[in-house]
Structures are given as structure tokens and as C-alpha cells.
Amino acid sequence: MTQTLQYEINDGIAIIRFNRPEVFNSFNREMSLGFQELLDQCAQDENVRAIYLTGNGKAFCAGQDLAEVTASDAPFIEKIVAEHYNPIVRRIREIEKPVICAVNGVAAGAGANIALACDITVAVESASFIQAFSKIGLIPDSGGTFFLPKLIGFQKASALMMLGDKVSASDAEKLGMLYKVFNTEEFEEASMKIASTISKMPTKGLVYTKQLLNAGITNNLNDQLDQEEKYQSMAGKTADYKEGVQAFMEKRKPEFKGK
């Protein structure tokens, strides 16, 4: 495995850590392609029930490593977007596992937008989010123009993207960008607890919920109701549904298997 990433599986949780702390975990090609490979590995591994994404060091991810795009043999920007960031965001939204993102520090550019694309995003109180693209004449990529307006509204998203303002973790939570913010002392334990809880829940039901949320972005009400009917029927045929009902009737804690 590339040294730009750290990976382990612990009690059903695949833990992925960006590991370029000396450059604030900014993406180069090696880290981008390695991250995609790890997501594919998680998708195929039946032992993985949830994915926990975070960074090592002071930053979560500072976006693109500008040293790579200014080198003499630098790839074209369109190649970076097409081969690095678009595939990452597509994998996060399409993978049939919940993705929990624990933002441990600054999340800028593509780093910020990848965090917003995850299923549940939390942050440490010292974290911040920056749509840094306008500062160098670029547009927000990595799904930023798709997710951010839907999370916080058109006007606020437009302003943050054009002005490039830094948003504190507490303000990001108030705006609706995040699920929760934790203080430094509890951040790692509390964020991992979310992943642990998710990993022991009915995985197929959570995946169906994720797929419905994806569809609901563009569906009209009637189409979405039809999709809910379809997916509820699928959920009702899972072993975890049967276990959940049985446990409720027997007044005991269910033991879900993700099947």
C-alpha cells in the first residue's frame, strides 16, 4: 500500500487515513489513485460494514498539491479532475457502505468537498473549511457545486465559493454542512463511536437509505415515493429486518449481520 495512505480494518470498520501530513495531506496522483483502490477494496470486502475517513497531522486535506500541477511534467487540470477527483466522489456516493468522515483539521478545496460528499461528516472544533478555488482562478470541483448549495442554500454557497471565506467547524455545523462538532479531547473517540454504531446496524437498510438519498436529489415526489416502495420491499426481505423484528418482540438487543 502506498505510504500516502494508512489503512486498517477494525471490528467491521475500514479506517482510511490521509498520510501526507508534511503537505497538509494534499492530494498527489499517488494518493488519489491509492484512495480509489482502497474504496474499491472496501466495496468488495464483506467484512467491511462502514468506512471511517480522516487525516493524519494538523490537516484533514488541503486539496490538490500545487507542487504537482506546477512541475515541468505536470498533468493537465482536466486529467486531474477526470482521473482523480471525479472518480473519488463517485465512489463515495456509489459504494454500498456508509462513509463517515472525521475532519481533524483544515479541509480546503477538494478536501472540503470530498468531506461534504460523505454520508456522515463530523469535525473537531479546531477544523475549518475553505472553498479555496477562487483564490487561484479555478472553479469548485469534487462535487462542490453540487453538494454545497444543497446543504446550505444557493446564496451562502455562492458567497463561500466566490469569496473563499474560511468557515469554522462550529459555523459549518450551524450552516448544515456537518452533522456534529466535537472538542479536541473527545473527537477521535466520539467520531469513531459513530462509525462503530453504524458498523453494527443493518448495512443493507443503510445502503438502501443512501441510494434513496442519492435519487431524491433529482426525483420528483411521485418518483421518490415509487422508489421508497421498491426499496422498502427489498429491505423487508433482508435477514437483518427479520432479526430486528424478532429482537423487538423478544425485548432483546438485535444482532445484525449486514445481510
Side-chain angles (χ1 to χ4, degrees):
M1 178 51 59
T2 171
Q3 295 300 307
T4 63
L5 296 152
Q6 290 181 346
Y7 178 69
E8 63 178 303
I9 299 175
N10 185 359
D11 195 23
I13 306 167
I15 303 170
I16 302 174
R17 298 181 188 272
F18 297 143
N19 190 40
R20 302 187 74 216
E22 70 282 1
V23 289
F24 301 105
N25 296 323
S26 58
F27 277 103
N28 60 9
R29 184 169 179 82
E30 181 183 358
M31 190 167 105
S32 302
L33 297 182
F35 186 29
Q36 294 175 46
E37 290 176 7
L38 282 179
L39 290 172
D40 289 342
Q41 188 173 324
C42 291
Q44 297 300 319
D45 192 337
E46 293 184 358
N47 295 317
V48 173
R49 302 270 299 277
I51 298 166
Y52 178 91
L53 176 63
T54 191
N56 284 334
K58 296 180 179 179
F60 170 70
C61 176
Q64 174 63 36
D65 188 344
L66 294 182
E68 182 175 68
V69 297
T70 57
S72 58
D73 59 345
F76 292 114
I77 289 179
E78 55 265 37
K79 180 181 178 71
I80 291 173
V81 174
E83 296 183 4
H84 298 184
Y85 300 121
N86 284 353
I88 287 172
V89 173
R90 288 189 174 108
R91 278 168 168 79
I92 289 172
R93 292 314 313 158
E94 293 171 3
I95 192 168
E96 295 186 356
K97 312 283 171 78
V99 182
I100 295 88
C101 181
V103 180
N104 59 294
V106 65
N113 291 334
I114 286 170
L116 299 182
C118 294
D119 297 303
I120 300 175
T121 302
V122 299
V124 68
E125 59 187 351
S126 59
S128 58
F129 297 79
I130 312 169
Q131 295 290 324
F133 305 91
S134 64
K135 303 290 187 179
I136 56 172
L138 294 178
I139 61 95
D141 58 28
S142 307
T145 60
F146 184 83
F147 292 108
L148 191 59
K150 292 172 175 61
L151 289 168
I152 69 173
F154 181 90
Q155 275 289 328
K156 291 186 184 299
S158 179
L160 291 181
M161 289 177 171
M162 291 185 177
L163 294 170
D165 291 342
K166 180 186 289 188
V167 181
S168 69
S170 61
D171 284 344
E173 182 184 18
K174 292 172 186 174
L175 286 168
M177 291 166 60
L178 309 174
Y179 172 51
K180 282 186 178 181
V181 173
F182 300 107
N183 63 44
T184 304
E185 292 73 24
E186 67 176 345
F187 170 67
E188 186 168 352
E189 181 179 352
S191 59
M192 188 59 73
K193 183 178 180 180
I194 292 173
S196 179
T197 299
I198 288 288
S199 73
K200 293 175 174 59
M201 293 181 69
T203 308
K204 286 189 177 295
L206 299 183
V207 169
Y208 296 158
T209 300
K210 177 174 184 171
Q211 292 169 341
L212 282 166
L213 287 169
N214 287 340
I217 292 173
T218 55
N219 276 349
N220 61 39
L221 175 60
N222 284 329
D223 288 341
Q224 193 69 6
L225 289 172
D226 289 341
Q227 288 296 300
E228 288 179 355
E229 180 181 336
K230 171 187 172 182
Y231 278 93
Q232 194 69 292
S233 174
M234 293 163 59
K237 294 180 174 66
T238 63
D240 280 341
Y241 167 70
K242 294 176 183 177
E243 165 63 10
V245 172
Q246 190 70 25
F248 178 82
M249 298 299 293
E250 295 174 359
K251 296 182 171 55
R252 60 174 174 84
K253 184 177 180 180
E255 296 183 9
F256 298 118
K257 304 297 184 182
K259 298 178 180 180

